[in-house]
Amino acid sequence: MNRATAVNAVLALAVAASTASGDLGAGRSIGDQSIVSFRWDPPLWFSIPLGLAAGAAIWSRRHRTLVAVALAAWVTLGAFVAVNVAQYRFAEHARSRRATAAATAVASLVVGAGIWRLGGPDAAVPLTAAICLAPALLGLYAGTRRELIAGMRERAERAEREQHERVLRARSDERAQIAQDMHDVVTHRVSLMVLHATALEASEGRDAAAIGKRIGTIGREALAELRSLVEVLCTDGDAPLVPQPGLADLAGLVEDSRRTGMRVTLRLVDEQGSRPPALVEHAVYRVVQEALTNVHKHAGDAESAVVVRRTPEALHLSVTNGRARAPVPGLPSGGHGLLGIAERIRLLGGELTAGPTPDGGYRVTAEVPL
């Protein structure tokens, strides 16, 4: 049994007992004058079933029935607690403000008639307001608040689902792009192997060792690239037999950004001497490309710095820009670029972080193990 059910059960029992006892006579009179329409001492065979009916209406959440039973209990037993609860419950759960107003008006007439007859308007107005109007207003507030919270929770859950779907879609798109890149790289290497094999055949044994060594090197590089993407789902489609851009193309990328008016510097530090895998190179290229695009979109002509440092263990990258000066208007921003390149880096076993800097700029960093 959940909390709401338990509270409803306790309330039903309490109202049933209160109604059956006529609120212990607290609402039957004003001074020595009886308010109830029937001047009698209600027998148990009448009061107990009426109390059980009020409790059953609360338990079953039949709010219109509860209002009718509560008014009957007021007229015959002078039980006002049931009227309080009925007005609150009806107003809390009613879908129509008109229905609430109508129910409150009827209840006010029934309750106020007896009080007016004995105590006049000075007694009828405040007592009727306390018994009928105040619980109805409180019920309206509680119902509106509950609907507002439910709506906010639904919107938050929907926004969370949509964000999750956007992340999954960005990851899927990036995986497909990685598979496309892998197709390009491997196809290029295999085509080189075929060309070298043809050259070996045409040479009739001359330079066989050198050509065979080159074929072996190309094959090992292709296998290394395939092993690095064993979890990537490939998509069908033809791709041009050209390698994807890598570290050697960063200078051209930075130069293109400078032509648009951006102030960008590039620094390459290689502590290893040999080239990293082509897939790693292309991933780093994509990170720099996306980061510079975001600088152009959101930071205008802010000064930016691209630093790529290769160590024996990993390839480190940072793209940092200063405080935004004049953002370029009208450029689209889907918000998926960083998600995509973060997924690309993650699939290579690395990590990408992005966030504001203390001086008001922005920094994107990535580290890919080698």
Side-chain angles (χ1 to χ4, degrees):
M1 180 183 295
N2 57 33
R3 180 179 178 182
T5 303
V7 170
N8 195 56
V10 171
L11 182 62
L13 291 175
V15 171
S18 175
T19 302
S21 65
D23 296 336
L24 300 178
R28 290 181 61 85
S29 62
I30 298 178
D32 58 354
Q33 301 293 323
S34 178
I35 297 176
V36 295
S37 301
F38 298 95
R39 302 178 182 279
W40 66 334
D41 187 12
L44 294 178
W45 61 263
F46 179 84
S47 59
I48 291 178
L50 192 60
L52 292 177
I58 293 177
W59 172 255
S60 61
R61 293 181 171 83
R62 298 179 181 273
H63 305 109
R64 294 187 179 181
T65 302
L66 177 60
V67 171
V69 173
L71 292 179
W74 167 262
V75 172
T76 57
L77 305 176
F80 64 90
V81 173
V83 179
N84 291 150
V85 176
Q87 287 296 105
Y88 176 87
R89 280 297 185 88
F90 187 88
E92 181 186 14
H93 296 280
R95 297 182 178 180
S96 171
R97 297 289 185 268
R98 292 183 178 180
T100 301
T104 303
V106 171
S108 298
L109 289 174
V110 174
V111 172
I115 302 177
W116 188 296
R117 185 179 66 253
L118 297 178
D122 293 341
V125 172
L127 289 178
T128 302
I131 295 174
C132 300
L133 183 60
L137 293 176
L138 186 60
L140 283 174
Y141 167 76
T144 303
R145 182 175 180 273
R146 186 185 65 251
E147 292 176 359
L148 179 62
I149 292 175
M152 294 174 62
R153 182 180 294 112
E154 181 182 357
R155 287 193 295 271
E157 292 175 351
R158 183 170 62 251
E160 184 177 355
R161 287 194 304 269
E162 291 175 352
Q163 174 64 17
H164 181 65
E165 291 174 358
R166 285 195 295 270
V167 170
L168 292 180
R169 186 164 56 250
R171 287 182 173 179
S172 177
D173 293 344
E174 193 64 22
R175 290 185 181 208
Q177 182 61 46
I178 293 172
Q180 180 77 20
D181 296 341
M182 193 61 240
H183 179 274
D184 297 341
V185 172
V186 173
T187 304
H188 178 69
R189 295 189 187 280
V190 172
S191 65
L192 289 178
M193 293 172 65
V194 172
L195 289 175
H196 280 81
T198 303
L200 179 61
E201 181 180 1
S203 67
E204 297 180 352
R206 296 186 303 272
D207 300 325
I211 297 176
K213 184 178 180 180
R214 286 197 293 270
I215 293 175
T217 300
I218 296 171
R220 284 190 295 271
E221 290 176 351
L223 288 175
E225 301 292 348
L226 286 174
R227 282 195 298 268
S228 67
L229 279 181
V230 68
E231 294 182 355
V232 178
L233 298 177
C234 295
T235 57
D236 295 331
D238 297 327
L241 300 179
V242 294
Q244 294 298 302
L247 297 182
D249 301 285
L250 288 179
L253 179 63
V254 169
E255 185 60 31
D256 290 340
S257 298
R258 289 172 181 163
R259 292 193 187 99
T260 65
M262 295 177 62
R263 296 180 294 166
V264 190
T265 60
L266 172 65
R267 186 161 67 95
L268 298 174
V269 180
D270 193 347
E271 301 176 5
Q272 185 67 13
S274 60
R275 291 188 59 181
L279 193 63
V280 174
E281 286 197 33
H282 183 55
V284 171
Y285 180 90
R286 282 291 309 279
V287 174
V288 176
Q289 185 181 47
E290 180 64 27
L292 292 180
T293 300
N294 287 339
V295 173
H296 185 55
K297 288 179 180 178
H298 307 295
D301 60 349
E303 187 173 352
S304 305
V306 179
V307 179
V308 181
R309 183 169 59 88
R310 187 188 180 202
T311 65
E313 295 81 17
L315 192 66
H316 306 271
L317 165 69
S318 71
V319 182
T320 308
N321 64 271
R323 183 186 297 273
R325 294 184 178 182
V328 178
L331 292 179
S333 179
H336 297 163
L338 286 179
L339 289 175
I341 60 175
E343 176 68 7
R344 176 184 290 266
I345 296 298
R346 188 187 70 82
L347 287 175
L348 294 175
E351 182 179 3
L352 183 140
T353 58
T357 59
D359 61 354
Y362 203 81
R363 177 181 292 115
V364 177
T365 61
E367 180 178 334
V368 185
L370 298 175

PDB file of all heavy atoms in Angstrom, residues 299-335:
ATOM      1  N   ALA A 299      32.231  33.125 -30.758  1.00  0.00           N
ATOM      2  CA  ALA A 299      33.206  34.036 -30.161  1.00  0.00           C
ATOM      3  C   ALA A 299      33.740  35.061 -31.148  1.00  0.00           C
ATOM      4  O   ALA A 299      34.677  35.787 -30.828  1.00  0.00           O
ATOM      5  CB  ALA A 299      34.363  33.248 -29.560  1.00  0.00           C
ATOM      6  N   GLY A 300      33.204  35.114 -32.347  1.00  0.00           N
ATOM      7  CA  GLY A 300      33.605  36.131 -33.297  1.00  0.00           C
ATOM      8  C   GLY A 300      35.093  36.086 -33.610  1.00  0.00           C
ATOM      9  O   GLY A 300      35.639  35.050 -33.989  1.00  0.00           O
ATOM     10  N   ASP A 301      35.764  37.219 -33.405  1.00  0.00           N
ATOM     11  CA  ASP A 301      37.188  37.297 -33.727  1.00  0.00           C
ATOM     12  C   ASP A 301      38.066  37.118 -32.494  1.00  0.00           C
ATOM     13  O   ASP A 301      39.171  37.664 -32.422  1.00  0.00           O
ATOM     14  CB  ASP A 301      37.502  38.637 -34.393  1.00  0.00           C
ATOM     15  CG  ASP A 301      37.166  39.812 -33.478  1.00  0.00           C
ATOM     16  OD1 ASP A 301      36.502  39.587 -32.439  1.00  0.00           O
ATOM     17  OD2 ASP A 301      37.569  40.942 -33.786  1.00  0.00           O
ATOM     18  N   ALA A 302      37.597  36.366 -31.494  1.00  0.00           N
ATOM     19  CA  ALA A 302      38.402  36.118 -30.297  1.00  0.00           C
ATOM     20  C   ALA A 302      39.680  35.374 -30.681  1.00  0.00           C
ATOM     21  O   ALA A 302      39.690  34.524 -31.573  1.00  0.00           O
ATOM     22  CB  ALA A 302      37.606  35.298 -29.287  1.00  0.00           C
ATOM     23  N   GLU A 303      40.756  35.700 -30.004  1.00  0.00           N
ATOM     24  CA  GLU A 303      42.035  35.054 -30.281  1.00  0.00           C
ATOM     25  C   GLU A 303      41.989  33.605 -29.828  1.00  0.00           C
ATOM     26  O   GLU A 303      41.534  33.298 -28.714  1.00  0.00           O
ATOM     27  CB  GLU A 303      43.155  35.798 -29.561  1.00  0.00           C
ATOM     28  CG  GLU A 303      44.534  35.300 -29.916  1.00  0.00           C
ATOM     29  CD  GLU A 303      45.623  36.161 -29.320  1.00  0.00           C
ATOM     30  OE1 GLU A 303      45.285  37.229 -28.759  1.00  0.00           O
ATOM     31  OE2 GLU A 303      46.802  35.761 -29.418  1.00  0.00           O
ATOM     32  N   SER A 304      42.481  32.695 -30.682  1.00  0.00           N
ATOM     33  CA  SER A 304      42.408  31.266 -30.404  1.00  0.00           C
ATOM     34  C   SER A 304      43.785  30.643 -30.583  1.00  0.00           C
ATOM     35  O   SER A 304      44.624  31.158 -31.327  1.00  0.00           O
ATOM     36  CB  SER A 304      41.404  30.575 -31.329  1.00  0.00           C
ATOM     37  OG  SER A 304      40.133  31.196 -31.256  1.00  0.00           O
ATOM     38  N   ALA A 305      43.975  29.514 -29.885  1.00  0.00           N
ATOM     39  CA  ALA A 305      45.254  28.803 -29.960  1.00  0.00           C
ATOM     40  C   ALA A 305      44.988  27.311 -30.052  1.00  0.00           C
ATOM     41  O   ALA A 305      44.204  26.759 -29.277  1.00  0.00           O
ATOM     42  CB  ALA A 305      46.123  29.113 -28.744  1.00  0.00           C
ATOM     43  N   VAL A 306      45.642  26.665 -31.023  1.00  0.00           N
ATOM     44  CA  VAL A 306      45.543  25.223 -31.202  1.00  0.00           C
ATOM     45  C   VAL A 306      46.909  24.619 -30.886  1.00  0.00           C
ATOM     46  O   VAL A 306      47.913  25.013 -31.477  1.00  0.00           O
ATOM     47  CB  VAL A 306      45.130  24.857 -32.644  1.00  0.00           C
ATOM     48  CG1 VAL A 306      45.048  23.346 -32.807  1.00  0.00           C
ATOM     49  CG2 VAL A 306      43.797  25.516 -32.998  1.00  0.00           C
ATOM     50  N   VAL A 307      46.928  23.689 -29.945  1.00  0.00           N
ATOM     51  CA  VAL A 307      48.181  23.049 -29.539  1.00  0.00           C
ATOM     52  C   VAL A 307      47.999  21.541 -29.636  1.00  0.00           C
ATOM     53  O   VAL A 307      47.066  20.985 -29.036  1.00  0.00           O
ATOM     54  CB  VAL A 307      48.585  23.444 -28.100  1.00  0.00           C
ATOM     55  CG1 VAL A 307      49.885  22.730 -27.705  1.00  0.00           C
ATOM     56  CG2 VAL A 307      48.732  24.942 -27.984  1.00  0.00           C
ATOM     57  N   VAL A 308      48.861  20.887 -30.404  1.00  0.00           N
ATOM     58  CA  VAL A 308      48.847  19.425 -30.543  1.00  0.00           C
ATOM     59  C   VAL A 308      50.221  18.920 -30.103  1.00  0.00           C
ATOM     60  O   VAL A 308      51.246  19.338 -30.639  1.00  0.00           O
ATOM     61  CB  VAL A 308      48.563  18.998 -31.997  1.00  0.00           C
ATOM     62  CG1 VAL A 308      48.539  17.477 -32.101  1.00  0.00           C
ATOM     63  CG2 VAL A 308      47.243  19.589 -32.481  1.00  0.00           C
ATOM     64  N   ARG A 309      50.207  18.034 -29.136  1.00  0.00           N
ATOM     65  CA  ARG A 309      51.464  17.492 -28.613  1.00  0.00           C
ATOM     66  C   ARG A 309      51.384  15.970 -28.586  1.00  0.00           C
ATOM     67  O   ARG A 309      50.450  15.407 -28.027  1.00  0.00           O
ATOM     68  CB  ARG A 309      51.733  18.029 -27.209  1.00  0.00           C
ATOM     69  CG  ARG A 309      53.065  17.567 -26.609  1.00  0.00           C
ATOM     70  CD  ARG A 309      53.377  18.343 -25.339  1.00  0.00           C
ATOM     71  NE  ARG A 309      52.343  18.173 -24.344  1.00  0.00           N
ATOM     72  CZ  ARG A 309      52.336  17.174 -23.436  1.00  0.00           C
ATOM     73  NH1 ARG A 309      53.309  16.276 -23.432  1.00  0.00           N
ATOM     74  NH2 ARG A 309      51.363  17.102 -22.554  1.00  0.00           N
ATOM     75  N   ARG A 310      52.363  15.351 -29.203  1.00  0.00           N
ATOM     76  CA  ARG A 310      52.393  13.899 -29.242  1.00  0.00           C
ATOM     77  C   ARG A 310      53.511  13.382 -28.347  1.00  0.00           C
ATOM     78  O   ARG A 310      54.669  13.801 -28.453  1.00  0.00           O
ATOM     79  CB  ARG A 310      52.608  13.393 -30.666  1.00  0.00           C
ATOM     80  CG  ARG A 310      52.477  11.870 -30.723  1.00  0.00           C
ATOM     81  CD  ARG A 310      52.866  11.304 -32.045  1.00  0.00           C
ATOM     82  NE  ARG A 310      52.715   9.854 -32.034  1.00  0.00           N
ATOM     83  CZ  ARG A 310      53.334   9.037 -32.857  1.00  0.00           C
ATOM     84  NH1 ARG A 310      54.153   9.516 -33.766  1.00  0.00           N
ATOM     85  NH2 ARG A 310      53.136   7.738 -32.787  1.00  0.00           N
ATOM     86  N   THR A 311      53.158  12.472 -27.452  1.00  0.00           N
ATOM     87  CA  THR A 311      54.112  11.787 -26.591  1.00  0.00           C
ATOM     88  C   THR A 311      54.108  10.313 -26.957  1.00  0.00           C
ATOM     89  O   THR A 311      53.239   9.861 -27.726  1.00  0.00           O
ATOM     90  CB  THR A 311      53.736  11.968 -25.111  1.00  0.00           C
ATOM     91  OG1 THR A 311      52.472  11.319 -24.873  1.00  0.00           O
ATOM     92  CG2 THR A 311      53.607  13.443 -24.747  1.00  0.00           C
ATOM     93  N   PRO A 312      55.017   9.534 -26.417  1.00  0.00           N
ATOM     94  CA  PRO A 312      54.991   8.094 -26.723  1.00  0.00           C
ATOM     95  C   PRO A 312      53.711   7.399 -26.283  1.00  0.00           C
ATOM     96  O   PRO A 312      53.351   6.370 -26.842  1.00  0.00           O
ATOM     97  CB  PRO A 312      56.213   7.564 -25.962  1.00  0.00           C
ATOM     98  CG  PRO A 312      57.129   8.733 -25.851  1.00  0.00           C
ATOM     99  CD  PRO A 312      56.239   9.924 -25.688  1.00  0.00           C
ATOM    100  N   GLU A 313      53.034   7.965 -25.308  1.00  0.00           N
ATOM    101  CA  GLU A 313      51.843   7.298 -24.774  1.00  0.00           C
ATOM    102  C   GLU A 313      50.533   7.795 -25.367  1.00  0.00           C
ATOM    103  O   GLU A 313      49.569   7.045 -25.478  1.00  0.00           O
ATOM    104  CB  GLU A 313      51.766   7.481 -23.236  1.00  0.00           C
ATOM    105  CG  GLU A 313      52.876   6.821 -22.469  1.00  0.00           C
ATOM    106  CD  GLU A 313      54.145   7.677 -22.483  1.00  0.00           C
ATOM    107  OE1 GLU A 313      54.026   8.881 -22.795  1.00  0.00           O
ATOM    108  OE2 GLU A 313      55.228   7.135 -22.199  1.00  0.00           O
ATOM    109  N   ALA A 314      50.472   9.074 -25.728  1.00  0.00           N
ATOM    110  CA  ALA A 314      49.175   9.624 -26.141  1.00  0.00           C
ATOM    111  C   ALA A 314      49.375  10.845 -27.019  1.00  0.00           C
ATOM    112  O   ALA A 314      50.478  11.413 -27.114  1.00  0.00           O
ATOM    113  CB  ALA A 314      48.343   9.996 -24.910  1.00  0.00           C
ATOM    114  N   LEU A 315      48.275  11.232 -27.653  1.00  0.00           N
ATOM    115  CA  LEU A 315      48.225  12.457 -28.451  1.00  0.00           C
ATOM    116  C   LEU A 315      47.348  13.449 -27.697  1.00  0.00           C
ATOM    117  O   LEU A 315      46.172  13.161 -27.416  1.00  0.00           O
ATOM    118  CB  LEU A 315      47.648  12.181 -29.838  1.00  0.00           C
ATOM    119  CG  LEU A 315      47.794  13.295 -30.872  1.00  0.00           C
ATOM    120  CD1 LEU A 315      49.263  13.521 -31.211  1.00  0.00           C
ATOM    121  CD2 LEU A 315      47.020  12.943 -32.139  1.00  0.00           C
ATOM    122  N   HIS A 316      47.889  14.611 -27.348  1.00  0.00           N
ATOM    123  CA  HIS A 316      47.188  15.618 -26.560  1.00  0.00           C
ATOM    124  C   HIS A 316      46.821  16.802 -27.446  1.00  0.00           C
ATOM    125  O   HIS A 316      47.635  17.250 -28.259  1.00  0.00           O
ATOM    126  CB  HIS A 316      48.056  16.094 -25.397  1.00  0.00           C
ATOM    127  CG  HIS A 316      48.560  14.990 -24.522  1.00  0.00           C
ATOM    128  ND1 HIS A 316      47.861  14.521 -23.427  1.00  0.00           N
ATOM    129  CD2 HIS A 316      49.692  14.238 -24.597  1.00  0.00           C
ATOM    130  CE1 HIS A 316      48.538  13.543 -22.857  1.00  0.00           C
ATOM    131  NE2 HIS A 316      49.658  13.350 -23.539  1.00  0.00           N
ATOM    132  N   LEU A 317      45.616  17.305 -27.257  1.00  0.00           N
ATOM    133  CA  LEU A 317      45.122  18.411 -28.070  1.00  0.00           C
ATOM    134  C   LEU A 317      44.391  19.404 -27.181  1.00  0.00           C
ATOM    135  O   LEU A 317      43.652  19.015 -26.270  1.00  0.00           O
ATOM    136  CB  LEU A 317      44.169  17.910 -29.152  1.00  0.00           C
ATOM    137  CG  LEU A 317      43.299  18.960 -29.856  1.00  0.00           C
ATOM    138  CD1 LEU A 317      44.146  19.860 -30.729  1.00  0.00           C
ATOM    139  CD2 LEU A 317      42.194  18.301 -30.660  1.00  0.00           C
ATOM    140  N   SER A 318      44.576  20.680 -27.449  1.00  0.00           N
ATOM    141  CA  SER A 318      43.780  21.720 -26.792  1.00  0.00           C
ATOM    142  C   SER A 318      43.495  22.837 -27.781  1.00  0.00           C
ATOM    143  O   SER A 318      44.377  23.245 -28.540  1.00  0.00           O
ATOM    144  CB  SER A 318      44.503  22.277 -25.562  1.00  0.00           C
ATOM    145  OG  SER A 318      45.613  23.060 -25.929  1.00  0.00           O
ATOM    146  N   VAL A 319      42.274  23.300 -27.784  1.00  0.00           N
ATOM    147  CA  VAL A 319      41.855  24.448 -28.590  1.00  0.00           C
ATOM    148  C   VAL A 319      41.220  25.436 -27.627  1.00  0.00           C
ATOM    149  O   VAL A 319      40.167  25.162 -27.042  1.00  0.00           O
ATOM    150  CB  VAL A 319      40.850  24.047 -29.688  1.00  0.00           C
ATOM    151  CG1 VAL A 319      40.471  25.267 -30.525  1.00  0.00           C
ATOM    152  CG2 VAL A 319      41.416  22.947 -30.563  1.00  0.00           C
ATOM    153  N   THR A 320      41.865  26.581 -27.457  1.00  0.00           N
ATOM    154  CA  THR A 320      41.434  27.569 -26.471  1.00  0.00           C
ATOM    155  C   THR A 320      41.183  28.899 -27.154  1.00  0.00           C
ATOM    156  O   THR A 320      41.985  29.335 -27.993  1.00  0.00           O
ATOM    157  CB  THR A 320      42.504  27.747 -25.376  1.00  0.00           C
ATOM    158  OG1 THR A 320      42.863  26.474 -24.848  1.00  0.00           O
ATOM    159  CG2 THR A 320      41.985  28.638 -24.255  1.00  0.00           C
ATOM    160  N   ASN A 321      40.072  29.538 -26.793  1.00  0.00           N
ATOM    161  CA  ASN A 321      39.794  30.881 -27.309  1.00  0.00           C
ATOM    162  C   ASN A 321      39.535  31.826 -26.153  1.00  0.00           C
ATOM    163  O   ASN A 321      39.131  31.409 -25.054  1.00  0.00           O
ATOM    164  CB  ASN A 321      38.600  30.874 -28.263  1.00  0.00           C
ATOM    165  CG  ASN A 321      37.301  30.483 -27.603  1.00  0.00           C
ATOM    166  OD1 ASN A 321      36.977  29.305 -27.551  1.00  0.00           O
ATOM    167  ND2 ASN A 321      36.551  31.451 -27.115  1.00  0.00           N
ATOM    168  N   GLY A 322      39.782  33.110 -26.374  1.00  0.00           N
ATOM    169  CA  GLY A 322      39.563  34.110 -25.346  1.00  0.00           C
ATOM    170  C   GLY A 322      38.106  34.502 -25.232  1.00  0.00           C
ATOM    171  O   GLY A 322      37.210  33.852 -25.777  1.00  0.00           O
ATOM    172  N   ARG A 323      37.864  35.593 -24.522  1.00  0.00           N
ATOM    173  CA  ARG A 323      36.499  36.081 -24.298  1.00  0.00           C
ATOM    174  C   ARG A 323      35.851  36.469 -25.621  1.00  0.00           C
ATOM    175  O   ARG A 323      36.487  37.056 -26.488  1.00  0.00           O
ATOM    176  CB  ARG A 323      36.531  37.273 -23.354  1.00  0.00           C
ATOM    177  CG  ARG A 323      35.138  37.820 -23.004  1.00  0.00           C
ATOM    178  CD  ARG A 323      35.278  39.094 -22.183  1.00  0.00           C
ATOM    179  NE  ARG A 323      35.942  38.802 -20.918  1.00  0.00           N
ATOM    180  CZ  ARG A 323      35.316  38.399 -19.814  1.00  0.00           C
ATOM    181  NH1 ARG A 323      33.992  38.242 -19.845  1.00  0.00           N
ATOM    182  NH2 ARG A 323      35.983  38.162 -18.707  1.00  0.00           N
ATOM    183  N   ALA A 324      34.574  36.121 -25.746  1.00  0.00           N
ATOM    184  CA  ALA A 324      33.840  36.445 -26.963  1.00  0.00           C
ATOM    185  C   ALA A 324      33.735  37.952 -27.144  1.00  0.00           C
ATOM    186  O   ALA A 324      33.469  38.696 -26.201  1.00  0.00           O
ATOM    187  CB  ALA A 324      32.451  35.821 -26.908  1.00  0.00           C
ATOM    188  N   ARG A 325      33.957  38.395 -28.370  1.00  0.00           N
ATOM    189  CA  ARG A 325      33.862  39.826 -28.673  1.00  0.00           C
ATOM    190  C   ARG A 325      32.644  40.135 -29.530  1.00  0.00           C
ATOM    191  O   ARG A 325      31.768  40.879 -29.142  1.00  0.00           O
ATOM    192  CB  ARG A 325      35.130  40.281 -29.395  1.00  0.00           C
ATOM    193  CG  ARG A 325      36.375  40.209 -28.519  1.00  0.00           C
ATOM    194  CD  ARG A 325      37.581  40.781 -29.267  1.00  0.00           C
ATOM    195  NE  ARG A 325      38.776  40.757 -28.438  1.00  0.00           N
ATOM    196  CZ  ARG A 325      39.948  41.231 -28.830  1.00  0.00           C
ATOM    197  NH1 ARG A 325      40.078  41.759 -30.032  1.00  0.00           N
ATOM    198  NH2 ARG A 325      40.998  41.161 -28.027  1.00  0.00           N
ATOM    199  N   ALA A 326      32.640  39.556 -30.719  1.00  0.00           N
ATOM    200  CA  ALA A 326      31.541  39.860 -31.654  1.00  0.00           C
ATOM    201  C   ALA A 326      31.107  38.572 -32.323  1.00  0.00           C
ATOM    202  O   ALA A 326      31.602  38.225 -33.394  1.00  0.00           O
ATOM    203  CB  ALA A 326      31.985  40.876 -32.695  1.00  0.00           C
ATOM    204  N   PRO A 327      30.191  37.810 -31.711  1.00  0.00           N
ATOM    205  CA  PRO A 327      29.722  36.573 -32.322  1.00  0.00           C
ATOM    206  C   PRO A 327      29.125  36.822 -33.699  1.00  0.00           C
ATOM    207  O   PRO A 327      28.501  37.842 -33.949  1.00  0.00           O
ATOM    208  CB  PRO A 327      28.650  36.073 -31.338  1.00  0.00           C
ATOM    209  CG  PRO A 327      28.982  36.757 -30.049  1.00  0.00           C
ATOM    210  CD  PRO A 327      29.567  38.076 -30.421  1.00  0.00           C
ATOM    211  N   VAL A 328      29.347  35.870 -34.601  1.00  0.00           N
ATOM    212  CA  VAL A 328      28.840  35.997 -35.965  1.00  0.00           C
ATOM    213  C   VAL A 328      27.353  35.664 -35.964  1.00  0.00           C
ATOM    214  O   VAL A 328      26.962  34.572 -35.550  1.00  0.00           O
ATOM    215  CB  VAL A 328      29.591  35.054 -36.913  1.00  0.00           C
ATOM    216  CG1 VAL A 328      29.021  35.148 -38.315  1.00  0.00           C
ATOM    217  CG2 VAL A 328      31.071  35.401 -36.903  1.00  0.00           C
ATOM    218  N   PRO A 329      26.473  36.596 -36.391  1.00  0.00           N
ATOM    219  CA  PRO A 329      25.029  36.328 -36.363  1.00  0.00           C
ATOM    220  C   PRO A 329      24.600  35.431 -37.503  1.00  0.00           C
ATOM    221  O   PRO A 329      25.220  35.389 -38.560  1.00  0.00           O
ATOM    222  CB  PRO A 329      24.418  37.731 -36.505  1.00  0.00           C
ATOM    223  CG  PRO A 329      25.439  38.488 -37.313  1.00  0.00           C
ATOM    224  CD  PRO A 329      26.784  37.951 -36.876  1.00  0.00           C
ATOM    225  N   GLY A 330      23.496  34.720 -37.250  1.00  0.00           N
ATOM    226  CA  GLY A 330      22.846  33.970 -38.316  1.00  0.00           C
ATOM    227  C   GLY A 330      23.441  32.621 -38.630  1.00  0.00           C
ATOM    228  O   GLY A 330      22.990  31.961 -39.557  1.00  0.00           O
ATOM    229  N   LEU A 331      24.466  32.160 -37.902  1.00  0.00           N
ATOM    230  CA  LEU A 331      25.031  30.852 -38.188  1.00  0.00           C
ATOM    231  C   LEU A 331      24.277  29.781 -37.428  1.00  0.00           C
ATOM    232  O   LEU A 331      23.976  29.937 -36.242  1.00  0.00           O
ATOM    233  CB  LEU A 331      26.518  30.829 -37.793  1.00  0.00           C
ATOM    234  CG  LEU A 331      27.449  31.697 -38.647  1.00  0.00           C
ATOM    235  CD1 LEU A 331      28.861  31.599 -38.132  1.00  0.00           C
ATOM    236  CD2 LEU A 331      27.389  31.267 -40.107  1.00  0.00           C
ATOM    237  N   PRO A 332      23.940  28.654 -38.071  1.00  0.00           N
ATOM    238  CA  PRO A 332      23.177  27.609 -37.382  1.00  0.00           C
ATOM    239  C   PRO A 332      24.031  26.920 -36.336  1.00  0.00           C
ATOM    240  O   PRO A 332      25.239  26.805 -36.464  1.00  0.00           O
ATOM    241  CB  PRO A 332      22.795  26.640 -38.521  1.00  0.00           C
ATOM    242  CG  PRO A 332      23.866  26.840 -39.537  1.00  0.00           C
ATOM    243  CD  PRO A 332      24.250  28.287 -39.468  1.00  0.00           C
ATOM    244  N   SER A 333      23.360  26.425 -35.281  1.00  0.00           N
ATOM    245  CA  SER A 333      24.059  25.700 -34.217  1.00  0.00           C
ATOM    246  C   SER A 333      23.155  24.582 -33.740  1.00  0.00           C
ATOM    247  O   SER A 333      22.196  24.819 -33.012  1.00  0.00           O
ATOM    248  CB  SER A 333      24.397  26.638 -33.054  1.00  0.00           C
ATOM    249  OG  SER A 333      25.042  25.939 -32.023  1.00  0.00           O
ATOM    250  N   GLY A 334      23.446  23.351 -34.183  1.00  0.00           N
ATOM    251  CA  GLY A 334      22.600  22.226 -33.812  1.00  0.00           C
ATOM    252  C   GLY A 334      22.899  21.654 -32.448  1.00  0.00           C
ATOM    253  O   GLY A 334      22.080  20.956 -31.872  1.00  0.00           O
ATOM    254  N   GLY A 335      24.105  21.957 -31.896  1.00  0.00           N
ATOM    255  CA  GLY A 335      24.429  21.462 -30.577  1.00  0.00           C
ATOM    256  C   GLY A 335      24.907  20.031 -30.536  1.00  0.00           C
ATOM    257  O   GLY A 335      25.103  19.467 -29.461  1.00  0.00           O
TER     258      GLY A 335
END
